[in-house]
Amino acid sequence: MSDKKRVAILVSGGGSNMVSLVDSMLNDADHPGQPCLVLSNNADAGGLTKAAARGVATAVVDHRPFGKDREAFEVELVKPLLEARADVVCLAGFMRVLTAGFVRQFEGRMLNIHPSLLPKYKGLHTHARALEAGDERHGCTVHEVTPLLDDGPILGQAEVPVLPDDTPDDLAARVLVQEHRLYPAVLARYLRGEHDILRLN
Ligand code: GRF
């Protein structure tokens, strides 16, 4: 029986952060975690194919049939997480807002990566907002998920420079490289009980 923590990862799209997390666990025999499930709200998410190619169980709970009834969607969304006996849940490009009720089931064991230097730029369009503000530094944050959106305790941040001719896409691409460094590093520390902020530059 493995004493590794079982890590479920929620994705909505390409899953590049999920790949970084899964590979960091599969490529290190001493890693405190093991991937137990990749779960998406989108049956077409590219992350599902990448997870299956790595031998990781996948599941889909489409949010669309539930309309605006977030609670009804989440009643179904939680089932595969319980069946997979997830100890920790990582949101990685998961694009649905979760209710406080859902978050409370996993509070203290749910992480998210957000493409800004929180507390700056909670919510969407973070790269365009940083450019509009004339910021010289930008980056990404891994934080614990709490009922307030993009608001939980910060566990790690990585910074990138903003260059004069950057477009939002240029900045997003530069930040994404750092996301793939930061999230695996924070997850390993978090699973070992190290919750002090990791700063990568
Ligand atoms: C990334 O920019 C991440 O910061 C945000 O979702 C985007 C796509 O992530 N949360 P991925 O490639 O699906 O992991």
Side-chain angles (χ1 to χ4, degrees), residues 1 46 60 82 90 106 110 112 119 139 151 155 162 164 167 170 189 193:
M1 186 73 173
V60 174
L82 299 177
C90 291
F106 297 97
M110 183 185 285
N112 181 47
D151 190 71
L155 295 169
V162 178
T167 66
D170 296 330
R189 291 160 55 90

Side-chain angles (χ1 to χ4, degrees), residues 37-194:
L37 177 70
V38 171
L39 172 59
S40 184
N41 62 299
N42 170 14
D44 298 326
L48 293 167
T49 306
K50 295 167 190 168
R54 287 163 172 77
V56 180
T58 62
V60 174
V61 178
D62 188 341
H63 65 277
R64 292 173 302 180
F66 301 96
K68 295 190 182 309
D69 190 345
R70 291 183 186 277
E71 287 76 7
F73 165 57
E74 292 173 352
V75 163
E76 296 307 314
L77 187 71
V78 76
K79 290 177 182 173
L81 293 171
L82 299 177
E83 285 160 21
R85 294 181 286 114
D87 297 308
V88 171
V89 177
C90 291
L91 307 181
F94 186 68
M95 302 310 278
R96 305 302 298 171
V97 173
L98 296 166
T99 67
F102 184 91
V103 168
R104 283 196 193 97
Q105 298 175 77
F106 297 97
E107 197 150 8
R109 57 196 184 102
M110 183 185 285
L111 306 182
N112 181 47
I113 189 157
H114 181 75
S116 78
L117 294 175
L118 291 173
K120 294 180 82 169
Y121 313 128
K122 296 177 183 178
L124 298 174
H125 311 302
T126 61
H127 310 300
R129 291 158 65 190
L131 288 170
E132 283 157 23
D135 293 353
E136 294 184 3
R137 305 289 292 173
H138 185 47
C140 51
T141 302
V142 175
H143 64 94
E144 284 194 61
V145 177
T146 55
L148 284 179
L149 184 69
D150 299 332
D151 190 71
I154 291 174
L155 295 169
Q157 292 193 312
E159 286 195 23
V160 298
V162 178
L163 304 179
D165 300 330
D166 271 342
T167 66
D169 285 349
D170 296 330
L171 205 41
R174 192 172 307 127
V175 169
L176 194 60
V177 170
Q178 298 307 317
E179 293 179 32
H180 299 160
R181 291 177 64 218
L182 180 68
Y183 213 168
V186 169
L187 176 62
R189 291 160 55 90
Y190 186 78
L191 295 178
R192 292 190 175 105
E194 299 163 22

